[in-house]
Amino acid sequence: MLESVVAEMWAVAQFGPPLEMTQAETMQTVQEDTWLNASFWANIALAGVSILLFVYMGRTVTDPRAQLIYVATILVPLVSISSYLGLVSGLTISFLEMPSGHALAGEEVLTMWGRYLTWTLSTPMILLALGLLAGTNLTKLFTIITADIAMCITGLAAALTTSSYALRWFWYLISCAFFLVVLYVLLVEWPRDAELAGTAEIFNLLKILTVIMWFGYPIFWALGSEGLAVLEVATTSWGYSGLDIVAKYIFAFLLLNWVRNNERTIAETSTTFRTETATPADD
Ligand code: RET
């Protein structure tokens, strides 16, 4: 018994973690890395507090459009808590052997693929809430949300590709192209709509916060173990977790607090999505 444990430890020391790790083994690996583990638990705690706070803040909101902003925004920490539970339990983490050309070629690298999967659910909620605030039409909303989902899925493909290093970066570039569509709607289309809706001040604040934070994700991908491997896995994870804290909980608090205090403005924007193009009156 002792011999086999020693042999396994020797193998791990020599060749890194085995290709097929059980969930329990992956979870244990995460737990042994205090810094990595803390990057997950910090978000579980913050997501829990946020859910309770946001539900409490929304209890007096009655306008359906304002309520929809609340529901979409509360879904963000709800998805987040599930996401981080998946990571902390080893369910949505894998050790992948990096292809040649990668700085850690041949090594088993911890890949937190669950993050991309849950971004596919959480980021559309952020954009739905922002779009409702700006008074978007359905075409712009559909465009930004589909581009955003495509960005997350192609980012997942970049992280999971082990056949070729070049292909990893090719997926990354495709994901960046979708990101540009998201940025275009956020920076060009919606500010004009928000002006007409009378929500420009808060929209512009949230827009700046969102754009700055969202840029951090592809930067951490490129510098982290999935890209150039300049940063360690735990540091990359803290990078994403730190960005999550601002891009999700602080963003959500600012938005929901404003909506709660300006329910009238939201209600007057429209009772349903506008379908016509937003053009200022030419008098
Ligand atoms: C990836 C890598 C490929 C290139 C790009 C990326 C962008 C990710 C972004 C994620 C935002 C996540 C948020 C989550 C909140 O729950 C996939 C990292 C462009 C922008 C805000």
Side-chain angles (χ1 to χ4, degrees), residues 76-77 79-80 83-84 115-116 118-124 126 148 150-156 158-159 168 171-180 182 210-211 213-222 226 240 243-244 247-249:
V76 177
V79 169
S80 188
S83 170
Y84 280 99
R115 283 192 186 272
Y116 308 90
T118 47
W119 292 344
T120 310
L121 297 170
S122 61
T123 51
I126 295 175
D148 171 66
M151 174 191 81
C152 296
I153 298 289
T154 48
L156 175 68
R168 289 175 72 83
W171 279 120
Y172 179 89
L173 287 180
I174 295 178
S175 178
C176 287
F178 285 118
F179 186 35
L180 288 181
V182 173
T210 301
V211 169
M213 288 303 117
W214 286 35
F215 257 111
Y217 292 82
I219 293 175
F220 273 106
W221 196 100
E226 287 153 325
Y240 289 138
L243 291 172
D244 272 4
K248 295 202 258 201
Y249 317 122

Side-chain angles (χ1 to χ4, degrees), residues 33 44-45 71 101 103 105 108 119 131 133 150 156 173 180 193 197 226 232 242 245 254 267 276 279:
D33 190 332
I44 293 176
V71 173
E108 302 286 324
W119 292 344
L133 179 71
L156 175 68
L173 287 180
L180 288 181
D193 295 340
E226 287 153 325
E232 301 231 326
I245 290 170
L254 292 173
E276 80 278 13
T279 42

